[in-house]
Amino acid sequence: MKCHDPCGACCIAPEITSALPNMPDGKPAGIRCVNLDSENRCMEYEKRPKVCREFNPTEYTCGDSFEDALRLISELEAATKS
Ligand code: SF4
């Protein structure tokens, strides 16, 4: 499936432990990546790191909307947190 556009839920909901542009320590779950613009598009899209490039949208993670994606990814994050 294609990403919702705009979305950015995968740049907000999950914890990212790898370095991101302008966030060298990654980011906690539920915190916006600083590289998202006001429309939730990545301002570093061409330079986004491997961790971002490897996320593929699925119905399981993204549902039918940004709101679905934020909820589903947050639920997965909580369920897999050790
Ligand atoms: S660098 Fe871009 S694609 Fe990666 S989490 Fe941040 S906004 Fe999203």
Side-chain angles (χ1 to χ4, degrees):
M1 70 176 274
K2 287 188 172 178
C3 289
H4 313 309
D5 183 28
C7 185
C10 59
C11 310
I12 301 170
E15 177 182 26
I16 299 178
T17 56
S18 311
L20 298 165
N22 307 307
M23 296 185 98
D25 298 327
K27 65 167 218 63
I31 299 297
R32 288 174 67 82
C33 177
V34 298
N35 300 299
L36 280 179
D37 70 12
S38 60
E39 294 188 325
N40 283 0
R41 292 195 173 97
C42 180
M43 295 184 286
E44 301 286 347
Y45 191 76
E46 294 304 323
K47 291 190 285 180
R48 70 198 193 287
K50 188 168 179 251
V51 64
C52 306
R53 293 177 187 273
E54 286 183 342
F55 182 84
N56 290 312
T58 64
E59 289 187 15
Y60 179 67
T61 53
C62 303
D64 293 325
S65 64
F66 164 74
E67 290 76 16
D68 277 357
L70 206 55
R71 177 179 54 79
L72 289 165
I73 297 171
S74 296
E75 287 173 0
L76 279 172
E77 183 72 26
T80 56
K81 194 161 179 62
S82 52

